[in-house]
Amino acid sequence: MKNPILLIGNDINNMSKGQSWRDLLNDIVTFCLPDGCIQLDERKPFPLLYEEIFLTAIRQAHIREVELKSFIAKKTLKIEQNDIHAAIRNLAPAHILTTNYEFTLEGEIPLQSDGLILERIFSIFRKYKIGNTNYWHIHGDCLNPLSINLGFEHYGGQLQQMRNYVVSGTTYTSPQAPRKSLVQRISQHLPVTEDSWLDLFFTRDIHIFGLSLDFVETDLWWLLTYRARQKFQKNTIPVSNALYYYIPSELAPGAKFKLEMLVANDVKVIEITATDKRTYYEEVLRKISKL
């Protein structure tokens, strides 16, 4: 496929040197609560765990959230590139959407924002263009620490902005931002000019990999279900694009419940057998390039 559109998560960074996600969690707790009064537990959904850490720190240390997110931004900026990042760029994607905060996919730190409007907290238009590829940091980025989407409150606000853009219309003061919702523009046969990464979910094929799509990602699951409703319910907008989700074959049995929900939401699941993580991602990219 020439100039594909990709949605990429954090797993590709697990091949890089440096700290793991678990290391980052431990560092966050130590930074906020040196006495270690918070217990990390895999049963705690991360957005709520973040709120537990932050709210406990507020009461004990009067920490400001901008200080915490700036700390996280500095930590994640230290993640190093690996050869899979370079291989992704070699595909010459038209668009890369990512939940990652750092710029390993770009291969460099952008000099300026190329979004339609400048966003301080939420990420509807958050875009950087390098070469011919648009990079959309849909959960915020390290250059804007307050945009980093971690807690339950931030997820709720992000989802509210997403639903406004897609369903009911925006209230941005900038004259550049579209007033009519995406659904209204499509139904009235108005141009969809890809001002937001959300436009792509209803108009272009997207390949998703390196993203666990845990159910805590409430914003993305809402988007998937809303798109599927538009496609299959009566009196809605036409949706003809395809979404592809790639997963290693050995992980598929344990993720059966999630894969069933993806299929119900009109996502095509592609299982790939590989001997290791690098081989898996090389095969994902090979399949995408051959489509």
Side-chain angles (χ1 to χ4, degrees):
M1 174 177 286
K2 185 178 181 181
N3 306 126
I5 298 174
L6 314 174
L7 169 55
I8 304 173
N10 185 65
D11 187 61
I12 60 168
N13 290 340
N14 291 331
M15 295 173 53
S16 298
K17 297 178 181 179
Q19 66 177 193
S20 67
W21 180 248
R22 183 75 180 188
D23 293 334
L24 178 59
L25 288 181
N26 286 322
D27 288 344
I28 291 172
V29 172
T30 302
F31 177 77
C32 294
L33 304 161
D35 61 358
C37 62
I38 292 290
Q39 297 297 315
L40 298 181
D41 189 321
E42 292 182 356
R43 293 171 296 180
K44 295 178 180 179
F46 179 73
L48 287 173
L49 173 62
Y50 174 86
E51 298 294 349
E52 180 187 11
I53 295 170
F54 177 59
L55 293 172
T56 303
I58 287 177
R59 294 199 301 273
Q60 293 191 5
H62 305 289
I63 191 172
R64 294 185 304 153
E65 190 164 26
V66 66
E67 296 170 338
L68 172 56
K69 289 194 172 183
S70 295
F71 170 80
I72 294 169
K74 291 177 182 177
K75 285 286 182 179
T76 53
L77 272 175
K78 294 180 180 179
I79 296 174
E80 298 179 9
Q81 297 180 55
N82 58 57
D83 53 353
I84 297 301
H85 293 106
I88 290 169
R89 291 193 292 273
N90 287 339
L91 277 182
H95 300 271
I96 294 180
L97 291 65
T98 182
T99 54
N100 301 345
Y101 314 129
E102 86 302 322
F103 302 100
T104 48
L105 284 164
E106 286 92 333
E108 60 186 83
I109 297 178
L111 298 177
Q112 65 179 27
S113 170
D114 294 290
L116 184 68
I117 64 174
L118 290 175
E119 296 171 292
R120 180 169 171 264
I121 296 176
F122 301 116
S123 301
I124 305 302
F125 307 100
R126 189 175 303 280
K127 179 177 71 172
Y128 299 97
K129 186 168 186 177
I130 295 181
N132 293 319
T133 301
N134 294 304
Y135 294 85
W136 305 85
H137 287 263
I138 68 178
H139 281 173
D141 68 76
C142 290
L143 294 181
N144 302 275
L146 283 177
S147 73
I148 293 177
N149 191 356
L150 290 167
F152 208 63
E153 163 63 18
H154 202 143
Y155 268 95
Q158 173 77 0
L159 178 51
Q160 181 180 21
Q161 296 299 320
M162 288 168 58
R163 200 175 192 283
N164 287 347
Y165 184 88
V166 174
V167 182
S168 59
T170 68
T171 57
Y172 297 103
T173 56
S174 171
Q176 293 178 292
R179 289 290 181 271
K180 290 186 176 182
S181 70
L182 176 60
V183 168
Q184 289 175 316
R185 282 178 279 144
I186 293 176
S187 64
Q188 296 172 15
H189 306 288
L190 298 174
V192 177
T193 53
E194 299 180 354
D195 292 325
S196 169
W197 62 273
L198 292 162
D199 298 334
L200 304 172
F201 260 84
F202 294 82
T203 59
R204 305 284 294 276
D205 293 353
I206 300 177
H207 301 267
I208 306 168
F209 59 90
L211 182 66
S212 65
L213 266 179
D214 290 336
F215 295 136
V216 298
E217 306 280 11
T218 50
D219 54 342
L220 292 177
W221 278 102
W222 171 82
L223 186 59
L224 292 176
T225 56
Y226 187 81
R227 174 187 173 276
R229 282 174 173 263
Q230 290 297 304
K231 182 169 184 176
F232 298 121
Q233 284 184 316
K234 294 181 179 180
N235 301 318
T236 52
I237 63 171
V239 177
S240 59
N241 65 317
L243 304 179
Y244 302 89
Y245 182 79
Y246 297 81
I247 185 171
S249 297
E250 68 269 21
L251 298 183
K256 183 174 181 292
F257 64 99
K258 180 174 66 179
L259 301 182
E260 290 173 345
M261 297 188 72
L262 286 171
V263 171
N265 283 281
D266 192 46
V267 178
K268 303 177 190 301
V269 175
I270 300 176
E271 297 182 25
I272 292 181
T273 301
T275 55
D276 54 49
K277 193 182 290 288
R278 174 172 279 99
T279 305
Y280 165 72
Y281 281 118
E282 289 173 347
E283 181 62 15
V284 169
L285 298 179
R286 188 193 70 80
K287 281 187 175 294
I288 293 173
S289 67
K290 296 297 182 182
L291 288 177

